[in-house]
Amino acid sequence: QKEVEQDPGPLSVPEGAIVSLNCTYSNSAFQYFMWYRQYSRKGPELLMYTYSSGNKEDGRFTAQVDKSSKYISLFIRDSQPSDSATYLCAMRTGGGADGLTFGKGTHLIIQP
Amino acid sequence: KAGVTQTPRYLIKTRGQQVTLSCSPISGHRSVSWYQQTPGQGLQFLFEYFSETQRNKGNFPGRFSGRQFSNSRSEMNVSTLELGDSALYLCASSWTGGATNEKLFFGSGTQLSVL
């Protein structure tokens, strides 16, 4: 079992829909959680960074962390075709000595 | 402010050769990390450098090595290339890498193809 599980998709939704992306993890030592967006032939771009359980909102994006269930989510409201990309969850332990552990990414397609 | 710069963008090598990839971090950033991205394994941590010293290392064979210079620029070397080394190699920088709430900024990567 991999430390971080993420459905690779593709996930295809119509423009304007609410998108829900999720990751589960098994290592309870993970304390910091991130969501990255990666366009084709580009490096990952940090979207959201959270620490505590609960919700964090930034514009159309909301990150949710449930440490008791080892489950994190990213919600995208009013989705746009420009949101079409691969979304990667990432996490690190409190010590941070072993770099980030990534999910394999979910390929999201927003249909105009 | 310039982002993380990686060169070259594309490389084609043959099995058994060696390759060197270069990364220039964001100005002022002193920590540089390297990651390998493949369709099968996703993004995997290779190693991290700070002040010319390797601080952390992922689970990769010794054929993968790196170094960091006094200006924080970093190079990654892969010796005796194998077909399975074909991947996108990503470099990421941060201020110090030591604070767990620091954010990483990634370059666009070097796409390595081993034939």
Side-chain angles (χ1 to χ4, degrees):
Chain A
Q1 181 193 11
K2 290 199 66 85
E3 280 192 295
V4 180
E5 299 281 357
Q6 185 176 10
D7 187 334
L11 175 62
S12 183
V13 301
E15 181 176 357
I18 296 175
V19 175
S20 172
L21 304 166
N22 312 292
C23 287
T24 59
Y25 62 95
S26 57
N27 187 352
S28 57
F30 287 136
Q31 296 187 24
Y32 298 88
F33 305 91
M34 290 134 271
W35 285 95
Y36 283 84
R37 177 176 63 195
Q38 186 174 24
Y39 292 112
S40 181
R41 303 181 188 282
K42 295 289 188 181
E45 170 195 11
L46 181 65
L47 286 176
M48 299 289 287
Y49 190 111
T50 57
Y51 168 67
S52 57
S53 284
N55 293 354
K56 180 178 180 180
E57 189 174 317
D58 184 0
R60 296 186 296 112
F61 299 93
T62 298
Q64 192 174 77
V65 174
D66 182 348
K67 289 185 178 180
S68 62
S69 301
K70 297 189 180 67
Y71 187 89
I72 68 171
S73 300
L74 177 70
F75 299 95
I76 306 174
R77 291 183 299 282
D78 188 26
S79 55
Q80 305 294 313
S82 59
D83 294 327
S84 298
T86 296
Y87 289 79
L88 300 145
C89 63
M91 42 201 83
R92 71 189 304 174
T93 62
D98 47 0
L100 294 179
T101 300
F102 282 86
K104 288 191 178 182
T106 298
H107 182 44
L108 174 66
I109 301 168
I110 308 297
Q111 300 170 330
Chain B
K1 193 173 188 181
V4 178
T5 303
Q6 291 189 246
T7 56
R9 282 287 280 126
Y10 302 94
L11 264 179
I12 299 176
K13 293 286 187 179
T14 57
R15 280 181 298 174
Q17 286 186 312
Q18 75 167 17
V19 67
T20 299
L21 314 180
S22 180
C23 172
S24 293
I26 291 172
S27 178
H29 285 192
R30 296 171 62 192
S31 170
V32 173
S33 302
W34 288 89
Y35 288 80
Q36 182 196 64
Q37 186 174 30
T38 60
Q41 298 298 319
L43 268 150
Q44 294 184 284
F45 173 68
L46 281 157
F47 30 65
E48 185 237 351
Y49 286 86
F50 178 78
S51 290
E52 303 177 62
T53 300
Q54 185 182 93
R55 280 200 301 201
N56 303 303
K57 190 178 190 305
N59 189 25
F60 278 82
R63 299 185 298 106
F64 292 83
S65 63
R67 60 178 175 168
Q68 187 181 33
F69 302 95
S70 58
N71 62 358
S72 295
R73 191 177 69 85
S74 178
E75 287 182 347
M76 188 191 113
N77 184 273
V78 187
S79 63
T80 320
L81 284 166
E82 301 177 359
L83 294 179
D85 297 333
S86 294
L88 180 66
Y89 289 89
L90 291 158
C91 168
S93 76
S94 65
W95 288 106
T96 69
T100 50
N101 61 348
E102 274 198 346
K103 299 172 184 177
L104 289 185
F105 296 86
F106 283 85
S108 292
T110 294
Q111 183 67 54
L112 172 64
S113 298
V114 182
L115 306 178

